[in-house]
Amino acid sequence: MAGAPVKGLKNILTKSPTDIVILSSLRTPVTRAKKGGLKEAYPEELLATVLKATLAANPNLDPSLIQDVSVGSVLQELGGAKAGRMAQLHAGFSHRTAFHTINRQCSSGLAAITSIAHSIACGSIDIGVGAGMESMTRNYGSRAIPTVLWPDLKASPSQDARDCILPMGTTSENVASRYSISRADQDAFAAASHLKAAAARTSGAFDKEIVPVTTKWSNPEHPDAEPETITVSADDGIRDTASPESMAKLKPAFSPSGSSTAGNSSQVSDGAAATLLIRRSTAHALGLSSSVIGKWAGSQVVGTAPDEMGVGPALAIPKLLDYTGLKLEDVDVWEINEAFASQAIYCVRRLGLDKVEGWEGRVNPRGGAIALGHPLGATGARMTSTLLSELGDLAKGDGGVGVVSMCIGTGMGMAGVFVRE
């Protein structure tokens, strides 16, 4: 089994029997909470859809050989554990395939993928699925802040402890003010996210990663009518005509004197995603080597001050690069979650990515959460799906290297590195 991490670009690109490789990485469309095409879908319904599609995308793999499924879930009742297990079985998995949910907030999807990868690396399992699900339509009533909390924590002598329940918008304003991120820069960044996503949608760039969802939908213009059955096949939060000028017209959302708005913040969304991982030697033994599309090469997580949680990627990515022996210039594509334009810009600048020629085409080249949405438990897995698709479309094809990273509420950052094959 795997021991010390493989370090350096050459070694990471070298194929080894102990590699944790990927057979598929799929997602549902991501749609606007309470308004979009998936507003009436249950999170476990979205999970069942993407898990069923995962089995269909791998027809030469016996589902009974999949040993574990890990699913990121942030807001759902009981952590989504029971409903998620039911969805897994409903999708066609054997009852002998284990199941669990995981909650590392905004990074939960990446944490789920990492959990499966670690289980494969240490020899606990050979094949597993890392996934994520979220319906913010159904489960965002508390705005992700606890409704029942030990009173002593609210009066804790630790400022960091008290700051864990700050509204996320307040943390965005903190980043903007502390690190001089202007409103104009945030609006320009947000508009660019929408335009990149719009171009990707128009060109069909998302088609390979998206699994259509057939679900019920009620027309708000006809509230008394029976729900319709619709099929949702595209993200619906993208604004094709976004511009810095249109963004500038929006009022601050979190502070009268602030700079974070509904337009330059991530969208509240619904969606799910799933990645199927397997040890390379197992894939070879099962005759699946030709189905490998990429590999996971490491993940890292780090803590930061809760009141500026958005800086997380600026700390997690250097830790990941040190862990893997990679350099900034070794990475072809960066997927950095756009929780807010303020923190995304800060991270790009702090990491020096804006000094790299053509950086706009290498950081979130198909847009990010400002345009696509941020279904909390699913985002990390959604970003992985998009990253692998982006790397597959590079001119270099085999061997493209990409990083997925996000900030995490309560003050953390996480990052993972993937290679396209």
PDB file of all heavy atoms in Angstrom, residues 378-395:
ATOM      1  N   ALA A 378     -21.965  19.701  -1.796  1.00  0.00           N
ATOM      2  CA  ALA A 378     -21.616  19.155  -3.107  1.00  0.00           C
ATOM      3  C   ALA A 378     -20.493  19.901  -3.808  1.00  0.00           C
ATOM      4  O   ALA A 378     -19.912  19.392  -4.771  1.00  0.00           O
ATOM      5  CB  ALA A 378     -22.851  19.163  -4.012  1.00  0.00           C
ATOM      6  N   THR A 379     -20.166  21.113  -3.355  1.00  0.00           N
ATOM      7  CA  THR A 379     -19.278  21.978  -4.122  1.00  0.00           C
ATOM      8  C   THR A 379     -17.920  21.357  -4.413  1.00  0.00           C
ATOM      9  O   THR A 379     -17.427  21.424  -5.544  1.00  0.00           O
ATOM     10  CB  THR A 379     -19.106  23.330  -3.394  1.00  0.00           C
ATOM     11  OG1 THR A 379     -20.325  24.071  -3.530  1.00  0.00           O
ATOM     12  CG2 THR A 379     -17.979  24.142  -3.981  1.00  0.00           C
ATOM     13  N   GLY A 380     -17.279  20.759  -3.428  1.00  0.00           N
ATOM     14  CA  GLY A 380     -15.963  20.172  -3.662  1.00  0.00           C
ATOM     15  C   GLY A 380     -15.979  19.090  -4.717  1.00  0.00           C
ATOM     16  O   GLY A 380     -15.064  18.991  -5.552  1.00  0.00           O
ATOM     17  N   ALA A 381     -17.024  18.258  -4.705  1.00  0.00           N
ATOM     18  CA  ALA A 381     -17.155  17.208  -5.712  1.00  0.00           C
ATOM     19  C   ALA A 381     -17.525  17.805  -7.068  1.00  0.00           C
ATOM     20  O   ALA A 381     -17.071  17.323  -8.113  1.00  0.00           O
ATOM     21  CB  ALA A 381     -18.202  16.186  -5.270  1.00  0.00           C
ATOM     22  N   ARG A 382     -18.337  18.866  -7.069  1.00  0.00           N
ATOM     23  CA  ARG A 382     -18.684  19.550  -8.323  1.00  0.00           C
ATOM     24  C   ARG A 382     -17.437  20.147  -8.959  1.00  0.00           C
ATOM     25  O   ARG A 382     -17.201  20.021 -10.169  1.00  0.00           O
ATOM     26  CB  ARG A 382     -19.721  20.647  -8.045  1.00  0.00           C
ATOM     27  CG  ARG A 382     -20.391  21.247  -9.282  1.00  0.00           C
ATOM     28  CD  ARG A 382     -19.533  22.197 -10.080  1.00  0.00           C
ATOM     29  NE  ARG A 382     -19.103  23.359  -9.336  1.00  0.00           N
ATOM     30  CZ  ARG A 382     -18.179  24.212  -9.765  1.00  0.00           C
ATOM     31  NH1 ARG A 382     -17.561  24.024 -10.932  1.00  0.00           N
ATOM     32  NH2 ARG A 382     -17.817  25.247  -9.017  1.00  0.00           N
ATOM     33  N   MET A 383     -16.615  20.798  -8.157  1.00  0.00           N
ATOM     34  CA  MET A 383     -15.396  21.409  -8.666  1.00  0.00           C
ATOM     35  C   MET A 383     -14.435  20.368  -9.227  1.00  0.00           C
ATOM     36  O   MET A 383     -13.748  20.606 -10.227  1.00  0.00           O
ATOM     37  CB  MET A 383     -14.718  22.215  -7.555  1.00  0.00           C
ATOM     38  CG  MET A 383     -15.517  23.421  -7.084  1.00  0.00           C
ATOM     39  SD  MET A 383     -14.826  24.171  -5.582  1.00  0.00           S
ATOM     40  CE  MET A 383     -13.324  24.897  -6.250  1.00  0.00           C
ATOM     41  N   THR A 384     -14.385  19.199  -8.598  1.00  0.00           N
ATOM     42  CA  THR A 384     -13.524  18.127  -9.095  1.00  0.00           C
ATOM     43  C   THR A 384     -13.986  17.657 -10.463  1.00  0.00           C
ATOM     44  O   THR A 384     -13.179  17.448 -11.378  1.00  0.00           O
ATOM     45  CB  THR A 384     -13.516  16.957  -8.096  1.00  0.00           C
ATOM     46  OG1 THR A 384     -13.024  17.427  -6.829  1.00  0.00           O
ATOM     47  CG2 THR A 384     -12.654  15.818  -8.586  1.00  0.00           C
ATOM     48  N   SER A 385     -15.277  17.498 -10.617  1.00  0.00           N
ATOM     49  CA  SER A 385     -15.836  17.103 -11.912  1.00  0.00           C
ATOM     50  C   SER A 385     -15.492  18.125 -12.988  1.00  0.00           C
ATOM     51  O   SER A 385     -15.044  17.776 -14.091  1.00  0.00           O
ATOM     52  CB  SER A 385     -17.353  16.950 -11.795  1.00  0.00           C
ATOM     53  OG  SER A 385     -17.937  16.671 -13.033  1.00  0.00           O
ATOM     54  N   THR A 386     -15.686  19.394 -12.667  1.00  0.00           N
ATOM     55  CA  THR A 386     -15.380  20.451 -13.627  1.00  0.00           C
ATOM     56  C   THR A 386     -13.897  20.503 -13.933  1.00  0.00           C
ATOM     57  O   THR A 386     -13.492  20.655 -15.095  1.00  0.00           O
ATOM     58  CB  THR A 386     -15.864  21.810 -13.080  1.00  0.00           C
ATOM     59  OG1 THR A 386     -17.277  21.744 -12.861  1.00  0.00           O
ATOM     60  CG2 THR A 386     -15.567  22.938 -14.051  1.00  0.00           C
ATOM     61  N   LEU A 387     -13.056  20.368 -12.911  1.00  0.00           N
ATOM     62  CA  LEU A 387     -11.609  20.410 -13.116  1.00  0.00           C
ATOM     63  C   LEU A 387     -11.151  19.297 -14.051  1.00  0.00           C
ATOM     64  O   LEU A 387     -10.370  19.540 -14.988  1.00  0.00           O
ATOM     65  CB  LEU A 387     -10.889  20.282 -11.771  1.00  0.00           C
ATOM     66  CG  LEU A 387      -9.367  20.200 -11.871  1.00  0.00           C
ATOM     67  CD1 LEU A 387      -8.773  21.536 -12.277  1.00  0.00           C
ATOM     68  CD2 LEU A 387      -8.754  19.731 -10.551  1.00  0.00           C
ATOM     69  N   LEU A 388     -11.602  18.081 -13.817  1.00  0.00           N
ATOM     70  CA  LEU A 388     -11.170  16.965 -14.664  1.00  0.00           C
ATOM     71  C   LEU A 388     -11.626  17.159 -16.107  1.00  0.00           C
ATOM     72  O   LEU A 388     -10.911  16.812 -17.042  1.00  0.00           O
ATOM     73  CB  LEU A 388     -11.682  15.648 -14.094  1.00  0.00           C
ATOM     74  CG  LEU A 388     -10.969  15.197 -12.811  1.00  0.00           C
ATOM     75  CD1 LEU A 388     -11.726  14.068 -12.137  1.00  0.00           C
ATOM     76  CD2 LEU A 388      -9.535  14.771 -13.120  1.00  0.00           C
ATOM     77  N   SER A 389     -12.803  17.745 -16.279  1.00  0.00           N
ATOM     78  CA  SER A 389     -13.277  18.053 -17.624  1.00  0.00           C
ATOM     79  C   SER A 389     -12.397  19.123 -18.273  1.00  0.00           C
ATOM     80  O   SER A 389     -12.013  19.001 -19.439  1.00  0.00           O
ATOM     81  CB  SER A 389     -14.731  18.526 -17.565  1.00  0.00           C
ATOM     82  OG  SER A 389     -15.195  18.914 -18.829  1.00  0.00           O
ATOM     83  N   GLU A 390     -12.060  20.149 -17.509  1.00  0.00           N
ATOM     84  CA  GLU A 390     -11.193  21.215 -18.024  1.00  0.00           C
ATOM     85  C   GLU A 390      -9.829  20.665 -18.420  1.00  0.00           C
ATOM     86  O   GLU A 390      -9.300  20.982 -19.500  1.00  0.00           O
ATOM     87  CB  GLU A 390     -11.031  22.307 -16.969  1.00  0.00           C
ATOM     88  CG  GLU A 390     -12.276  23.123 -16.728  1.00  0.00           C
ATOM     89  CD  GLU A 390     -12.240  23.933 -15.449  1.00  0.00           C
ATOM     90  OE1 GLU A 390     -11.434  23.612 -14.548  1.00  0.00           O
ATOM     91  OE2 GLU A 390     -13.036  24.880 -15.331  1.00  0.00           O
ATOM     92  N   LEU A 391      -9.255  19.831 -17.549  1.00  0.00           N
ATOM     93  CA  LEU A 391      -7.945  19.259 -17.845  1.00  0.00           C
ATOM     94  C   LEU A 391      -7.998  18.364 -19.072  1.00  0.00           C
ATOM     95  O   LEU A 391      -7.049  18.312 -19.863  1.00  0.00           O
ATOM     96  CB  LEU A 391      -7.434  18.462 -16.638  1.00  0.00           C
ATOM     97  CG  LEU A 391      -7.060  19.268 -15.395  1.00  0.00           C
ATOM     98  CD1 LEU A 391      -6.718  18.326 -14.246  1.00  0.00           C
ATOM     99  CD2 LEU A 391      -5.892  20.203 -15.677  1.00  0.00           C
ATOM    100  N   GLY A 392      -9.114  17.672 -19.256  1.00  0.00           N
ATOM    101  CA  GLY A 392      -9.263  16.808 -20.425  1.00  0.00           C
ATOM    102  C   GLY A 392      -9.309  17.565 -21.726  1.00  0.00           C
ATOM    103  O   GLY A 392      -9.005  17.018 -22.788  1.00  0.00           O
ATOM    104  N   ASP A 393      -9.689  18.837 -21.663  1.00  0.00           N
ATOM    105  CA  ASP A 393      -9.787  19.652 -22.873  1.00  0.00           C
ATOM    106  C   ASP A 393      -8.520  20.451 -23.159  1.00  0.00           C
ATOM    107  O   ASP A 393      -8.457  21.183 -24.148  1.00  0.00           O
ATOM    108  CB  ASP A 393     -10.972  20.613 -22.765  1.00  0.00           C
ATOM    109  CG  ASP A 393     -12.305  19.885 -22.850  1.00  0.00           C
ATOM    110  OD1 ASP A 393     -12.314  18.748 -23.356  1.00  0.00           O
ATOM    111  OD2 ASP A 393     -13.327  20.438 -22.411  1.00  0.00           O
ATOM    112  N   LEU A 394      -7.510  20.323 -22.277  1.00  0.00           N
ATOM    113  CA  LEU A 394      -6.250  21.009 -22.536  1.00  0.00           C
ATOM    114  C   LEU A 394      -5.554  20.395 -23.745  1.00  0.00           C
ATOM    115  O   LEU A 394      -5.693  19.211 -24.031  1.00  0.00           O
ATOM    116  CB  LEU A 394      -5.323  20.893 -21.327  1.00  0.00           C
ATOM    117  CG  LEU A 394      -5.696  21.681 -20.062  1.00  0.00           C
ATOM    118  CD1 LEU A 394      -4.679  21.379 -18.968  1.00  0.00           C
ATOM    119  CD2 LEU A 394      -5.756  23.163 -20.340  1.00  0.00           C
ATOM    120  N   ALA A 395      -4.770  21.196 -24.401  1.00  0.00           N
ATOM    121  CA  ALA A 395      -4.038  20.704 -25.568  1.00  0.00           C
ATOM    122  C   ALA A 395      -3.098  19.568 -25.180  1.00  0.00           C
ATOM    123  O   ALA A 395      -2.876  18.636 -25.953  1.00  0.00           O
ATOM    124  CB  ALA A 395      -3.253  21.848 -26.205  1.00  0.00           C
TER     125      ALA A 395
END
